[in-house]
Every structure is written in structure tokens, then in C-alpha cells.
Amino acid sequence: MWEMPSRTDMDDRDQSGEGPSNSVILEGRNIQVVYHSGERAVAAVEDFSIRIREGEFVGLVGESGCGKSTAALALLGLVRPPGKVVQGMVLYRGEDLLRKLESQLRMIRGSDIGLVVQNPNSALNPLLTIGTQIANVYRDHHPVSKSVALKRVASVLKGMGIDDVRRWMNSYPHQLSGGMAQRVLIAMATINEPKLLVADEPTTGLDVTVQGQILDLIQSRVQETGSAVLLVTHDLGIVAHYCDRVVVMLSGRIIEEAQVQVLFSMPRHPYTKKLVASSLEQARATHHIPTAGFHRPQPP
Amino acid sequence: MSSSENTSLLEVQALVKRFPAGRGNTFVRAVNGISFSVGRGEILGIVGESGCGKSTVGRCLLRLIEPTAGRILFDRIDITRLSWRQLLPLRARMQMVFQDPLGSLNPRMLVRDIIEEPLRLHTGLDGLGRGQRAAELLDLVLLSKRYLHRLPRELSGGEAQRVGIARAIATNPDLLVLDEPTSSLDFSARSGILSLLMRLREELGLTYVFISHDLYTIGAYCDRVMVMYLGVVAEIGPRRSVFDRPQHPYTQALLSARLPADPGIRLGRHVLRGEVPSSIDVPQGCVFASRCPLVREDCLPEQPPLTVVGSTHMAACVRIADSTNMLDLGQAPDPRVSSPI
């Protein structure tokens, strides 16, 4: 059973995924993840259930330590010791991903589901050029030669607004700035046009003027590929302007879930109320509505 | 305020800091000749993105890093000319609160010893006296006495920062340099620390240099704001003025790039292309020229000087002189804002 997500036209973003074909592409049910530390076992995530529909942009929000990254990794079958998924299932195309072999999961990740991690260093091989690495992701799922793959990589990078594509493709990870590295991760995660893109704090640590570039890039890439997005973040500003729907976590559990407009106007859980109230207060007190576009400096 | 009265606690003149970049004659030009002052009791916010030099400035103010050139006048004493020994008593009057609270506390020292350390160095208090003062300080930062006997690893981020603040105010300083004091903290700890800092400023008559990349924090708490880009000052002025009528294109872009946590606010963003150039290869001319949407010929070959746009508001952009409206140049510039470089 699906529900039509209700979206309000709060800006002129082109929303994909409207209409009766909004089927659920990924569903997590009652997931529980436990971490073993010596004698003790700590539940990092408890009773986590989520449904992500085609074309939706879902924000998974909470402070550090709330379990949001762990929950997202659990959906991809990426929880590793000392963590363990002790309960629950992740349904994708009628099958439970958590019952699949790692080799099968690898085929799904990278093609059907893309992942952008927070720290580019954990995803990039320092010994290979960027071009080769992105091409490898393409070739893992398409039987083509290296040169064909590189051409595809070049066209994706060009489509992402990158000017000096050749120089980029020949660079090594250590030569990239934070923003550039994130763009590479986004290219790698979306080159096979996944149904779902999971992005874990993709802009944390980046300069504020670069954040906008990266988020806009994610948004335009998923509009091109028709992907849904699960964006893990602690930043309510990002949620307010990019997400359709929000899932809020606290201490390993989901405490609230709502369409963005509803979450900000009518939060229900006391924690969410507090969070939203102070974020709104801060935003309204200090955000100056800028005049459109750029203008010459003017005297006061 | 008459212009002959100098109420600056801190005056920085033509500060330069270069770091060798490891290969022959190349340098990282972290700070490229900046001047500003801070009045007694005021909070000056220094904001900017990576590579702008704000953290380096903060460290130079306390001579944690030695400036390459320029002068720093603390209470009219040029601290750049002092010997280590001469500097020591002044250190009691200027302290720092660091970005990584747990990283700035010695993991092998009890909280009590961490807080007493500056008292040991700068005061003649005996053990009993120090103990009493330490308890007082914990009280000021709203931690119970139980914390005296804890180790840093037993503290949360917010608690560790409170200890860091207690240590910083132990010797009753005049000035605190706060380098991203809440950036590593969770949202819920953040507001507690910020209200503590504001309360302490009032109660203890402190002056703050508040370094942050977070425009919301700067916008909410600072009296004056200095925007830095690639080692220079792009704009400086009263917070209201800079936030409501930014004059430098970089400030405009920076302010417009914010994502307010309110879906009802329409964004009018100018998303800059490209990234901040490397501080090793600082380009000729205006440092912002490579990304400025309003760039033109006279932006090169020199970095534009700070130009007055209001009584204490200045920005380093060639376009300011263009404006056909009369600038308020009749009034003498406020002595708290140093003359352009």
C-alpha cells in the first residue's frame, strides 16, 4: 500500500516522483543494531523502520550519536563488527538484503543503490587516478572496455559542471580539495544511475559556499537519474531546503517522521519541538532576506 | 564617543604570517597584512572559510604563533617586541578557548589540576587558595564540585568545554580569544556554552575575539564582524551593518549561502563557482577576483584597500568608490577601526 506524499509548492524546484507510480523502493523493518564492547552490548539502533519511495528526498536527522549513520549503513548491509544487525529486514525488490551474501550485495550497491560517505578518504584509493576509480565503478556493472568507461566518466563529470575534466580525471585523491573529493564521490555513486542514493553527511566539514554547490549537485544528479535520496544530516537548514520528508532520531530510535513543512510548523515530540523552535528562532532572527542576484555595493 | 579617546584593548597593525611551504622559496601566506582593533568589552567576530587565516590570526594575538611582521598592541603594549619573560605576566590577561575541548585538555590531568595550572603559573596562591579558586571557577561555569576529580575522558564535549573555559578565566583575563568554541559540539551543548560565554562576558567584563565559520553564531552574538578571505580583510563593521548591508561581493555570497532552518524563507542564493584558491599561490590583485561575479579590470593588479562605507564599516572592493550616492565621509573614522592598509 502506498500513500501519495503531499508536497506543497514552497519553491520552484522541479519535483520528480509525483503521481500514482510512487512505489516503495526500499523498506527497512524493525531493524536493531547492537555494538559489542567487551562484555557489554549497546543497542545503537532500535526498532528502526523506514519506507523510501521512488524519487523522494528523505532526510534522516539527529545529533551525533543518535544512530542515524548506523541505521543508514544497516539499510545497505554495511554494518561491520563490532556492530551487528540482530533483528529486522531490508526489503528491496521483494527480497531481504540482510539475508543476501556479500557478493550479491556488492552487485546491488554501486548500481541500484549508491552511497556517498562523509569522509572521501575512506572511499578513495590513494594509488589510482580519479578517472580510473570512477571508471572501475562503471565497469563493475557494465561489460565495457576501459576506454569506453573513461568516456562515460568524462561525460558524467562534464554534466556535473566540471570544466577541466581531463585534469580531474588524471588527478589523484590527495590532490583534491574537500569539495572536489565530494564531487568525485557523487559521480561514483550516481554513474550507474541508482534507484536510491544514500548520502551520509556529505557536506559536513565543507565551507559554507561549497555546501550549496554540493547539495545542488546532488539534487540535480538525482533529478537526472530519477533516484530517491536518503540524506543523513544533523543540519536542519539542509533539511528545510532540500528534503521532502524528514525522519528524526534520538538515542537509536525514530521519534518523529513528517513532511518537511509539517515538521517545522507542527512538531510533535518534545525533543523535536525544542530542536525546531531554536533552529527557527535562530534562522528568523539572523537571516536577512537577500536581494535577488548580485548588486553593486551601496552605501548604507 | 570622541575620536581622541582610545578605548581599544587590542590593536593589530599590518599583521603578516607566512609559513614555509617546504619547497625552497614557497610560502603559505596565511595572513597578508591585516589591521583591526577591538574595543574594551566588545565581541569582535572573525568569520571566513578555509584558508582565510582567521585561526592563524587568533593564535598570533596571543603569540602562540610568532607573527612574521606587524604589531599587536595589547592595552597599548606592543607584545610583538616583548621577550618571553616580559610576555609571561601579560599572558595572564589574555587567554584562549579552543575548538576541540577534549583535545585541549591534558588527558592525564584531573580537572582540578587543569584549572589550577594557570593559577600555579601566574598567581602566588598556595594550594588552599588555588583549591578555593578552582571550586569558584567550576561554579562560574555551572559544573558541580564532583567534576574536580574527573579525568577529561569522563567528560562530555560540553563539559570539557566548560572546563576549558574555567581554565581560561582562572587568572581573570581581560581578553579571551575563542577559536570555534562550539563547532565540535552537539547542537544541544552549543547553546548552553554560548549563553555561558555571554553571561561571563557581562559578569566579568571580558572582551572577546570570536572566531567562527558559523554565520548564525556570529550574527547572534557579535558586536562587530570582520570577514576574512585568503589572508586579507574583505569587510569589517558593526554586525548589523555588515549583515544587513554587506558591501563586499564575498560577504554577500557568504551571507546568501546560508541555509536557514525554516522552509518558509525563500533562498536568494548566489552560489559561487569554484573554490578558495590555495594560500600558496595567492593571486595578484584582489584575492577574490578569481570567483567574483563583479570582477573587472581595476580589480587587478593590487588588493584593494579597505574603503569606508559607513562610520565604522569598511570593505575592500574597488566598486565602492563608484557609487553615486554620497558616502558618509564627513565624519572622522572611528578610532576603533584602523586606517586602511
Side-chain angles (χ1 to χ4, degrees), chain A residues 63-112:
Chain A
E63 300 187 62
S64 63
C66 72
K68 57 194 191 292
S69 289
T70 306
L73 291 177
L75 291 176
L76 297 169
L78 282 172
V79 175
R80 297 277 176 267
K84 191 171 146 93
V85 179
V86 299
Q87 202 184 27
M89 51 171 103
V90 179
L91 294 170
Y92 178 69
R93 289 188 169 183
E95 294 186 298
D96 183 2
L97 295 184
L98 298 180
R99 304 267 171 278
K100 284 186 171 295
L101 298 172
E102 179 58 23
S103 54
Q104 295 169 310
L105 281 177
R106 264 201 239 125
M107 288 314 290
I108 295 174
R109 280 183 232 125
S111 69
D112 292 56

Side-chain angles (χ1 to χ4, degrees), chain B residues 112-132:
Chain B
R112 179 195 68 204
D113 298 320
I114 291 172
I115 298 179
E116 288 187 16
E117 195 175 13
L119 300 171
R120 240 179 267 266
L121 282 172
H122 295 287
T123 70
L125 290 172
D126 65 358
L128 193 63
R130 290 196 300 267
Q132 280 174 347

Side-chain angles (χ1 to χ4, degrees), chain B residues 227-243:
Chain B
V227 180
M228 288 187 67
Y229 186 84
L230 212 55
V232 304
V233 177
E235 188 153 3
I236 181 168
R239 181 237 316 162
R240 248 271 120 85
S241 227
V242 172
F243 271 62

Side-chain angles (χ1 to χ4, degrees), chain B residues 185-216:
Chain B
L185 301 178
D186 264 347
F187 174 79
S188 33
R190 215 167 273 200
S191 49
I193 295 295
L194 288 168
S195 34
L196 172 66
L197 286 170
M198 296 308 134
R199 191 170 55 78
L200 289 174
R201 182 182 75 128
E202 287 260 347
E203 285 181 17
L204 306 176
L206 295 165
T207 303
Y208 289 167
V209 171
F210 195 106
I211 299 167
S212 180
H213 66 278
D214 179 16
L215 288 159
Y216 285 114

Side-chain angles (χ1 to χ4, degrees), chain A residues 279-297:
Chain A
S279 304
L280 278 179
E281 187 191 307
Q282 184 183 64
R284 288 172 183 163
T286 62
H287 195 87
H288 160 65
I289 313 296
T291 56
F294 255 67
H295 54 99
R296 279 169 187 255

Side-chain angles (χ1 to χ4, degrees), chain A residues 35 124 205 226 234 237 266:
Chain A
Y35 272 81
L124 295 175
H234 63 275
M266 293 183 293

Side-chain angles (χ1 to χ4, degrees), chain A residues 191-206:
Chain A
I191 193 164
N192 293 322
E193 312 208 333
K195 304 276 185 307
L196 171 66
L197 177 67
V198 177
D200 188 359
E201 307 257 26
T203 58
T204 301
L206 296 181

